[in-house]
Amino acid sequence: MQSTLNRQVIDITTADDDEVMLLPSVLLSDASCEALNAIQVLDDIASLLYIISNNQLSEHQYQAMARFAYETVTHTSQAQYDLLQRLNEPLEQSKFGTVEVK
């Protein structure tokens, strides 16, 4: 029986790579999107902290922005943790093992 799979393999390994793992590109795409999201959240929080440090908000605005920052960081942290769990599945089978959250 002939395989009907039509896959493109992109090899970015180097000569000294002694262990290679094939992963679906969607996993790397998801990881890149999650990393970009985390970067954007950190940039937003940096902007918020700059505004706060310059006393540019009212008391009510400070409270609202603190709630917003808390919810955003909590959501982003959970998304990063979920991504780590997905990446740990193939890593578990490698010589490197999983990355543990402490």
Side-chain angles (χ1 to χ4, degrees):
M1 179 180 257
Q2 187 174 8
S3 174
T4 58
L5 295 177
N6 184 18
R7 295 183 182 169
Q8 177 182 359
V9 176
I10 302 169
D11 187 353
I12 59 171
T13 59
T14 60
D16 63 344
D17 289 332
D18 62 349
E19 184 175 47
V20 176
M21 185 177 294
L22 293 175
L23 298 170
S25 58
V26 69
L27 184 63
L28 292 177
S29 177
D30 287 351
S32 296
C33 289
E34 290 296 334
L36 176 60
N37 181 55
I39 290 166
Q40 291 170 331
V41 166
L42 290 172
D43 285 345
D44 290 346
I45 291 173
S47 296
L48 173 62
L49 292 173
Y50 177 79
I51 291 169
I52 290 171
S53 71
N54 288 310
N55 296 319
Q56 297 176 353
L57 299 174
S58 70
E59 183 67 29
H60 175 73
Q61 290 171 322
Y62 282 126
Q63 292 173 355
M65 295 306 279
R67 278 193 305 274
F68 168 74
Y70 173 79
E71 291 297 325
T72 303
V73 168
T74 301
H75 173 76
T76 302
S77 176
Q78 184 60 50
Q80 292 299 303
Y81 181 76
D82 293 344
L83 174 62
L84 178 61
Q85 294 303 106
R86 288 193 310 274
L87 292 173
N88 269 339
E89 289 176 18
L91 281 175
E92 184 173 51
Q93 301 171 42
S94 76
K95 69 179 181 182
F96 297 102
T98 60
V99 176
E100 298 299 323
V101 177
K102 295 182 181 184

